Amino acid sequence: WLNQQTPFGLTLAQILSIAVICSVAITLERLITRYLRRFAKRASLERNVSNNLILTFRILVLLGSSVAIIRVGGLDTQWFLAFSALGGAALGFASSQTIGNFVAGLYLLATRPFKVGDYVRLGAVEGIVQEMTTNYTKVLTMGNNLVSIINLQILQRDMVNYLYEDEPRKLYCYTFEIGFDHSVSAEKLEGIFEQVFKQYDKLPRKPNYVLLRSGAFDRVYMIYLYVENPEEIFTLRPRITLEVFKLWDKEKQN
């Protein structure tokens, strides 16, 4: 009796098989959605990022169940070939770069080399991460510009996260270079640093400096700033740099 033809042109066995496929697809979709929502909550992902992930897996479940229903329904082979050709054309329409960018976005969300709110340097761009999606990452720079970088380019660049992970509290250790000629001695330069840094003893840690390199024409120092709020970097770096160079110019005139 399962092979009896119904008014819909399908046998009872085919209808039952399609019902089972739909039930499995619905159950699978709900399980995946529930898992992804929990994962997004644990990983503190942005809402639009978690929604994009859920939508992607829902589409995959829908495509898989549709192909299974077409096979079970016993549609003409030409219908199946037409469906496959349509899917192939859709995939071919999407460029390899777009697919690669989407995969790169999933990789960044899974590995989490940085998160929203971190102060980072991505190649030549540095600033505070404002938004992360499966397609791009937005960074607010020191010049108050919001720069969007596609995720595929991020994986091809050097990534630096200034989060200082050794501390029990959340702390950022930001570094930058300052260079001088040899018109002022190293001892006086160190005195200038100490005089300027003394004004910032209320920071989580006092700023520090290290001689990075010394050549025939200049000396270059690495400055270390420790802050809890990464937005402070936007104001502290130019302020400290200006104060150091003012005292350096004064020493040159003496």
Side-chain angles (χ1 to χ4, degrees):
W1 60 274
L2 289 176
N3 293 324
Q4 292 179 357
Q5 200 77 8
T6 66
F8 303 102
L10 300 173
T11 64
L12 290 175
Q14 289 174 323
I15 293 177
L16 289 175
S17 298
I18 291 174
V20 170
I21 292 172
C22 292
S23 299
V24 171
I26 292 173
T27 303
L28 186 61
E29 183 272 333
R30 289 181 178 177
L31 290 175
I32 292 176
T33 299
R34 187 180 305 171
Y35 172 78
L36 289 177
R37 292 193 188 281
R38 291 178 179 175
F39 170 77
K41 187 176 181 179
R42 290 196 306 268
S44 301
L45 297 180
E46 294 290 316
R47 186 172 182 179
N48 61 334
V49 174
S50 61
N51 289 339
N52 286 338
L53 287 174
I54 292 172
L55 177 61
T56 300
F57 281 97
R58 281 178 175 173
I59 292 174
L60 292 176
V61 172
L62 177 62
L63 289 176
S65 58
S66 298
V67 172
I69 290 174
I70 289 175
R71 285 181 172 273
V72 170
L75 293 180
D76 191 275
T77 307
Q78 293 181 353
W79 281 91
F80 184 75
L81 292 176
F83 180 83
S84 301
L86 182 62
L91 290 176
F93 183 75
S95 66
S96 59
Q97 185 175 3
T98 301
I99 297 174
N101 186 50
F102 178 77
V103 174
L106 293 179
Y107 177 79
L108 289 175
L109 293 173
T111 58
R112 295 175 60 80
F114 53 83
K115 60 183 181 298
V116 173
D118 283 348
Y119 195 98
V120 299
R121 186 176 75 242
L122 307 174
V125 178
E126 72 170 58
I128 302 173
V129 179
Q130 298 293 301
E131 183 180 357
M132 293 178 64
T133 69
T134 52
N135 296 317
Y136 58 83
T137 297
K138 289 185 177 181
V139 178
L140 180 65
T141 67
M142 193 172 294
N144 202 31
N145 296 316
L146 193 61
V147 180
S148 297
I149 311 173
I150 63 173
N151 293 324
L152 189 60
Q153 290 183 353
I154 292 177
L155 293 182
Q156 297 170 352
R157 301 181 182 185
D158 293 331
M159 290 185 288
V160 178
N161 189 342
Y162 290 95
L163 183 63
Y164 197 54
E165 297 180 348
D166 292 337
E167 284 289 321
R169 56 181 172 176
K170 189 175 182 180
L171 200 65
Y172 292 90
C173 176
Y174 178 71
T175 59
F176 64 97
E177 298 179 8
I178 298 183
F180 309 89
D181 59 30
H182 292 289
S183 58
V184 176
S185 66
E187 291 77 13
K188 289 184 177 180
L189 278 175
E190 292 175 2
I192 289 174
F193 285 135
E194 292 297 335
Q195 183 177 346
V196 172
F197 293 165
K198 191 184 300 182
Q199 306 173 37
Y200 299 93
D201 54 357
K202 292 184 179 180
L203 292 175
R205 281 192 179 187
K206 181 182 176 182
N208 194 13
Y209 65 93
V210 172
L211 178 61
L212 192 62
R213 59 183 179 273
S214 180
F217 303 101
D218 63 353
R219 296 189 190 93
V220 178
Y221 290 83
M222 180 72 77
I223 309 300
Y224 295 83
L225 292 179
Y226 300 91
V227 298
E228 292 181 344
N229 183 1
E231 293 182 1
E232 293 182 275
I233 297 173
F234 290 163
T235 56
L236 285 176
R237 174 178 175 173
R239 186 191 307 167
I240 289 177
T241 302
L242 180 61
E243 292 173 356
V244 167
F245 275 110
K246 279 184 177 180
L247 293 178
W248 179 67
D249 288 335
K250 188 176 180 180
E251 283 292 340
K252 286 176 62 178
Q253 295 172 2
N254 293 336

